[in-house]
Amino acid sequence: NERLAAMTGQRLHIQNYTKLSAVCTHPDFLGRGFAGALLTHQLNLIISHGQVPFLHVREDNSRAIALYERLGFTVSRPMNFYFMIRQ
C-alpha cells in the first residue's frame, strides 16, 4: 500500500570494512522477517565485494541484537552513544 515497511543500507567504506546502517522496521511490520531479508541481501553484497560487514547497535536494543546474532554477528566492544538536544 505504498508504505515503507523496512529499510537498510550501507555507509562508511573504510579500507576493507563496510558499515551496515539505517536498519529500521516500521512498528506495524515487526516480526515479519523484513529486516532479516534486507540485511541478508546487504551482507551478500558486501561479502561478494571482499568486504567485512560491521554495524553498531545500542546495548538496550535486544530485538536488534538477537537478529544480528542470528545473522552471525558478535559483539566486539561496547560503544557509547551521545544524544544532543537543541535548546
Side-chain angles (χ1 to χ4, degrees), residues 4-52:
L4 180 63
M7 67 180 189
T8 190
Q10 298 178 22
R11 177 174 53 182
L12 294 179
H13 303 274
I14 304 167
Q15 295 176 357
N16 64 326
Y17 292 90
T18 297
K19 179 183 178 193
L20 288 158
S21 66
V23 181
C24 307
T25 302
H26 189 283
D28 291 349
F29 298 96
L30 292 174
R32 298 185 190 187
F34 294 145
L38 291 171
L39 281 167
T40 298
H41 175 72
Q42 289 294 336
L43 290 169
N44 288 335
L45 288 173
I46 292 167
I47 292 166
S48 73
H49 286 97
Q51 297 286 300
V52 178

Side-chain angles (χ1 to χ4, degrees), residues 61-85:
N61 192 344
S62 57
R63 185 181 192 103
I65 292 168
L67 171 61
Y68 301 151
E69 288 176 341
R70 282 194 305 274
L71 293 173
F73 285 94
T74 59
V75 175
S76 65
R77 65 187 59 89
M79 182 175 179
N80 296 317
F81 289 88
Y82 299 94
F83 297 94
M84 298 178 72
I85 298 172

